[in-house]
Structure formats: structure tokens, C-alpha cells
């Protein structure tokens, strides 16, 4: 069903849909980014859209969103810090970010919702734009390229699988599985760092 929504939006807005879906992602666009990228890959494989344009527009939208989020953190960072300085979750997140900031910055793009919140936290902590751009843009490139390639080269298999399974359940299962896998790997590496 979500795939049908994406197809209708692409039909109406064309390539602009992909840019807006990623640029406005932090503001609650109701279509998961993973589905949008997979659909872009599938449509480009079928010849309906130019694969280079689709991918560049997706990447530009994501770069725009995370850059705005980063600068929001830089500009309003002190206000956020004052407001949340006694919050234990904020303190814990700050400690993890200080210990493993670069890894957290890179892996954050692979986790839904986190990809838009993490740049705010990075900016809030005063990380230089150069470092943010190097790590976050590289991570965004790897994440988008991976999902786009899955859609482009394995899209017909994904569509066949979705025909057999309820699409909403499949999307939720995929997002949970990827998030659980990445989170498990991340926590295992942190645990081994602490015990070493």
C-alpha cells in the first residue's frame, strides 16, 4: 500500500517528490525513506525514471535535511543544553557521543528517525562542519547507495515478496530487522570496548 502511495506521488510530482521526501523527512513525511529509495531504484530499473537523476535528487534531499538539522543544533545548541543538562538520557547520550562520536555519526544514518535527529545533536556538541560533512555525507552516500542498489537490481524480487506478504508488515519487519542488526552490532562493539 505504501508503494502505491509513492507511485501516485511520483506520478504527480516527478523527481521533485524524491527531493521533498528526504528534505522534509524530519517534519513527518508519512512515507519511510527506505521505501522511497527502493521505489526509486525499482522505477529506474523499469525505465520509468532516469536512475542517475533519481539518485542525485534523493541524495540532495537528504544532504539538505541533515545540513539544516546540523545548523539548527549549532544555532540553538546552548538553549538545548541548558534545557536538558539535568536529563539523565541527555547526559548518557552526550557521554556516548563523546566516547564514540564518529562511529555514532556514521551509523546513525542507517537507523530510521535517528538519521534526522543525530545531526542536531552533532551541531549541538559543536562538532566542526568539516568533520560533520565528511562523516555524515559519507554515511548518507553509503546508506542511500545501498538501498538504491537493492531497489534497482533486486527490486523485482522485492515486489514478488511483497505480493506474498502484507506490505505494511513487510516494511515494518524490514525496518525492525535492519535497526536491530545495526543496534546489536553497535552495542556489541561498545561492550567489547568497555571490557577491553
Amino acid at each position: 500500500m505504501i508503494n502505491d502511495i509513492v507511485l501516485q506521488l511520483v506520478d504527480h510530482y516527478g523527481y521533485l517528490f524524491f527531493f521533498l521526501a528526504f528534505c522534509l523527512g524530519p517534519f513527518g513525511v508519512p512515507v519511510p525513506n527506505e521505501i522511497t529509495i527502493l521505489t526509486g531504484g525499482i522505477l529506474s530499473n523499469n525505465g520509468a525514471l532516469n536512475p542517475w537523476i533519481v539518485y542525485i535528487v534523493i541524495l540532495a534531499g537528504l544532504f539538505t535535511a541533515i545540513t539544516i538539522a546540523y545548523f539548527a543544533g549549532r544555532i540553538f545548541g546552548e538553549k538545548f543544553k541548558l534545557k536538558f543538562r539535568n536529563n539523565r538520557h541527555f547526559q548518557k547520550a552526550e557521554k556516548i557521543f563523546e566516547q564514540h562520536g564518529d562511529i555514532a555519526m556514521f551509523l546513525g544514518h542507517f537507523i530510521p528517525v535517528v538519521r534526522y535527529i543525530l545531526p542536531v545533536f552533532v551541531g549541538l556538541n559543536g562538532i566542526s562542519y568539516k568533520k560533520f560533512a565528511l562523516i555524515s555525507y559519507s554515511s548518507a552516500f553509503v546508506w542511500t547507495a545501498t538501498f538504491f542498489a537493492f531497489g534497482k537490481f533486486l527490486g523485482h524480487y522485492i515486489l514478488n515478496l511483497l505480493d506474498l506478504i502484507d506490505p505494511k508488515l513487510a516494511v515494518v519487519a524490514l525496518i525492525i530487522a535492519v535497526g536491530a542488526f545495526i543496534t546489536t552490532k553497535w552495542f556489541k562493539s561498545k561492550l567489547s570496548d568497555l571490557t577491553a
Side-chain angles (χ1 to χ4, degrees), residues 13 26 56 76 84 91 102 112 119 138-139 170 183:
Y13 296 104
I56 289 170
F76 303 111
F84 295 110
Q91 291 170 350
D102 295 351
S138 299
S139 176
T183 304

Side-chain angles (χ1 to χ4, degrees), residues 68-138:
I68 290 170
Y70 168 80
F71 282 110
R74 287 295 293 246
I75 294 167
F76 303 111
E78 289 306 315
K79 291 179 184 177
F80 287 136
K81 280 187 177 183
L82 289 174
K83 185 174 183 178
F84 295 110
R85 71 176 169 218
N86 295 325
N87 182 298
R88 66 182 174 93
H89 298 295
F90 181 83
Q91 291 170 350
K92 185 175 181 180
E94 191 169 35
K95 183 177 179 182
I96 290 171
F97 187 78
E98 286 174 3
Q99 292 174 347
H100 309 289
D102 295 351
I103 294 169
M105 249 193 295
F106 188 85
L107 293 179
H109 287 282
F110 292 87
I111 303 169
V113 181
V114 172
R115 75 180 57 99
Y116 293 116
I117 295 172
L118 188 62
V120 174
F121 198 79
V122 171
L124 181 138
N125 279 289
I127 304 299
S128 72
Y129 176 75
K130 184 178 179 180
K131 183 175 183 177
F132 161 77
L134 177 67
I135 295 171
S136 293
Y137 294 170
S138 299

